[in-house]
Amino acid sequence: MSEDVLVAREERGNISVLTMVYRPYNLLGPKLINALVEQVEAAQKAGSRAIVIRSGLRHFSAGADLDIFDKRVAAGAADQASENRRLDGVEFLRFMELLPVPLIASVHGVCLGGGLELALSCDYIVAASSAKIGSVEATLGLHPLLGGIQRQVQRIGAQRAKEMSMLGRRYDAPTLEKWGLINLTVPEESLEQATMTVAEEFAHGPTVAHAATKQLAYIAVNEGVAAADEAMARVQAPIWTSEDLKTGLASFRKNGPGLAKFAGR
């Protein structure tokens, strides 16, 4: 693999597996974010119905690229326009959250700072039981800069979110599964198999309906339930003309629930 490749993409049927290989520790900054956006867009264009984001290095991500912060301190401001970004931090997380394809984060090693914010932008997080996860920006005199605080509040409430962001501790994956920050903890040797099992389940589902689910969830957590209620008819409209709905209804009538084979259209 060329050293110029920061994110490798592999197609496994209708699943794209994106493997971060930005040495040494997948530090999140403009280079890695740009590469992720490029490969996510390529996976979508390839017709992938689920996308896995994982690391090919020792750690999922050890945090942010500190060179960025040095430049911002020297400038006395966070001028992201000068950092050669396709998307700024908030735009990147929104891009991931609103992507009409399920995203699965597969976490091992350490997942810290910006790496955790990347994982939180995904729809499902699978973590090795040995993983160490945390918002450690406070140890640098910072706090999560991409939007991690508010996304922690959505998942685990304000008290736990403030604990994570203000104390800067590293937590084990089983603890964060109990809190509701991540979805599933598995032994490290089972991580790839468990990740692909979840990805297959997403990929074989009704992709058009999944896109609507993601959009309504985003509206609900950002604008409230009333706004999501108002948006339902518009967001659900593509479902009624989808091939998947016709397939699902026909399969239910013929074979009962749970046996439809969706095409993702």
Side-chain angles (χ1 to χ4, degrees):
M1 184 184 300
S2 169
E3 291 186 1
D4 295 332
V5 175
L6 306 186
V7 179
R9 179 167 56 90
E10 175 191 357
E11 303 298 336
R12 300 189 189 181
N14 52 12
I15 299 169
S16 282
V17 179
L18 307 187
T19 303
M20 299 182 293
V21 285
Y22 182 30
R23 297 184 183 278
Y25 305 119
N26 289 325
L27 298 179
L28 208 67
K31 289 183 180 179
L32 185 54
I33 288 175
N34 288 349
L36 282 166
V37 171
E38 179 181 348
Q39 293 301 334
V40 167
E41 288 177 336
Q44 190 178 6
K45 289 178 182 177
S48 296
R49 294 170 59 192
I51 299 172
V52 171
I53 297 178
R54 67 176 188 174
S55 168
L57 305 179
R58 181 180 179 184
H59 302 297
F60 181 80
S61 172
D65 185 345
L66 298 187
D67 290 344
I68 303 169
F69 302 150
D70 291 335
K71 293 175 182 177
R72 292 182 183 180
V73 169
D79 180 14
Q80 297 189 28
S82 65
E83 294 174 354
N84 193 31
R85 295 173 179 265
R86 283 190 56 187
L87 302 173
D88 68 26
V90 170
E91 291 170 343
F92 172 60
L93 294 194
R94 287 178 179 169
F95 164 78
M96 300 287 274
E97 290 167 339
L98 288 172
L99 193 80
V101 178
L103 290 165
I104 302 96
S106 183
V107 175
H108 74 275
V110 301
C111 176
L112 304 175
L116 175 55
E117 291 176 292
L118 168 61
L120 289 173
S121 74
C122 296
D123 304 297
Y124 195 101
I125 304 174
V126 186
S129 56
S130 56
K132 297 299 180 184
I133 301 169
S135 295
V136 297
E137 291 90 340
T139 64
L140 298 173
L142 288 166
H143 71 186
L145 298 174
L146 302 183
I149 298 168
Q150 46 268 46
R151 285 158 179 82
Q152 290 168 4
V153 170
Q154 288 173 358
R155 290 163 175 77
I156 59 178
Q159 289 301 103
R160 289 297 192 188
K162 287 187 287 186
E163 174 187 332
M164 288 191 70
S165 292
M166 296 170 75
L167 295 182
R169 295 173 178 169
R170 302 184 184 196
Y171 297 84
D172 61 80
T175 294
L176 296 185
E177 182 184 5
K178 290 178 184 176
W179 288 5
L181 192 76
I182 63 178
N183 297 84
L184 179 65
T185 302
V186 297
E188 187 164 358
E189 62 271 17
S190 303
L191 180 61
E192 181 174 3
Q193 180 180 350
T195 299
M196 294 310 298
T197 296
V198 171
E200 289 280 358
E201 190 171 352
F202 277 118
H204 287 128
T207 307
V208 177
H210 285 344
T213 296
K214 288 189 62 168
Q215 192 171 359
L216 284 172
Y218 183 88
I219 294 170
V221 298
N222 287 283
E223 301 176 40
V225 172
D229 288 345
E230 289 295 321
M232 280 179 63
R234 171 181 58 82
V235 173
Q236 292 170 346
I239 297 175
W240 301 108
T241 59
S242 69
E243 181 180 329
D244 283 346
L245 176 58
K246 297 172 185 175
T247 298
L249 291 172
S251 177
F252 181 86
R253 291 191 177 99
K254 182 178 180 181
N255 303 310
L259 296 176
K261 294 183 179 180
F262 297 110
R265 299 188 291 272

